[in-house]
Amino acid sequence: MTDPEALKRDAAAKALTFVEDGMRLGLGTGSTAKHFVDLLAERVQAGLKVVGVPTSEVTRAQAERLGVPLTTLDETPELDITIDGADEIDPALNLIKGGGGALLREKIVAAASGRMIVIADASKRVEALGRFPLPIEVNAFGLGATERAIAKVLEACGCPAPLTLRRKADGHVFVTDGGHMILDAACIRIPDPVQLGARLHSVPGVVEHGLFIGLASCAIIASPGGAEVVGRV
């Protein structure tokens, strides 16, 4: 059996071949993106000149520790490429992201980039989004009312689902870098991700959701047979 971490590293290594000197990069969050930052740091140590915007405090700490130069979207509002992982990828390159809890910053950074390259192993490919619980970032104020409104939207969009308030391993409520909470929706299958995304944005109290629609320009999918590039690099 192929080591999943080896596949993630293969995808990250392939993505690195598209990074050029002088680029402004969005640095993703999660286990696959962590491999990319590790490999990027090796290239930086060898002389590659880039600057990165991290999508989480975890990625910021990793990049700083490894010597990858960082900036902010205030200083550098337009990026060349964001390279990030995904929890699910459908045939149209729509994504579910947010398993690591960084969906808000990940979406802001991806939207500020000319291209978004998604890196993943083959297990993340699906015919329809929804098997992975959809993260929905919410404000703590009025949580009960917000949860009720989200449940109505899910039902109206054909994917009624139980909502679970995300907690850490120690049982405490998970709090995002922005100070919000996350409700995970076990949809199983989302018939129309575009419709659901728009309807969720209309709910007061919803800060952001993990449906990344039309943001990824290509995906690099690693399997035991190699790393396949899907879409336009």
Side-chain angles (χ1 to χ4, degrees), residues 1-228:
M1 182 179 294
T2 304
D3 178 9
E5 291 304 314
L7 294 179
K8 293 174 183 180
R9 195 170 182 86
D10 287 347
K14 181 69 173 179
L16 191 57
T17 66
F18 299 108
V19 175
E20 300 175 1
D21 213 48
M23 278 188 166
R24 303 155 297 177
L25 306 174
L27 305 178
T29 295
S31 58
T32 310
K34 181 177 184 296
H35 285 296
F36 176 77
V37 175
D38 284 339
L39 295 170
L40 177 66
E42 293 176 5
R43 288 280 306 279
V44 168
Q45 291 168 7
L48 179 70
K49 304 297 184 185
V50 295
V51 65
V53 174
T55 55
S56 67
E57 295 306 312
V58 170
T59 298
R60 177 188 302 281
Q62 180 194 5
E64 288 178 342
R65 184 177 70 253
L66 296 175
V68 177
L70 298 179
T71 184
T72 68
L73 286 180
D74 293 322
E75 298 169 342
T76 312
E78 295 183 358
L79 306 178
D80 297 297
I81 303 176
T82 282
I83 297 171
D84 203 352
D87 298 299
E88 284 189 345
I89 306 168
D90 78 4
L93 299 185
N94 294 319
L95 318 171
I96 284 182
K97 289 179 52 57
L103 60 147
L104 175 59
R105 293 189 186 185
E106 286 173 333
K107 192 173 284 190
I108 291 171
V109 171
S113 303
R115 291 177 288 164
M116 179 186 187
I117 298 177
V118 179
I119 51 177
D121 64 85
S123 70
K124 303 302 173 64
R125 296 181 89 165
V126 297
E127 286 303 312
L129 299 178
R131 181 184 64 193
F132 188 91
L134 174 65
I136 304 168
E137 189 162 344
V138 295
N139 198 294
F141 178 82
L143 178 62
T146 301
E147 183 174 352
R148 183 179 176 87
I150 291 171
K152 289 181 178 179
V153 166
L154 292 170
E155 184 169 3
C157 291
C159 47
L163 292 165
T164 304
L165 182 64
R166 188 177 298 186
R167 296 182 180 274
K168 299 185 291 184
D170 63 7
H172 290 91
V173 173
F174 177 89
V175 179
T176 69
D177 287 340
H180 307 122
M181 297 176 175
I182 291 180
L183 292 169
D184 289 305
C187 296
I188 308 302
R189 186 179 187 277
I190 299 172
D192 188 340
V194 175
Q195 179 195 41
L196 178 59
R199 292 285 296 272
L200 286 173
H201 274 146
S202 72
V203 175
V206 170
V207 178
E208 190 52 84
H209 56 72
L211 290 168
F212 281 53
I213 309 297
L215 285 171
S217 54
C218 87
I220 298 173
I221 310 294
S223 68
E228 175 189 4

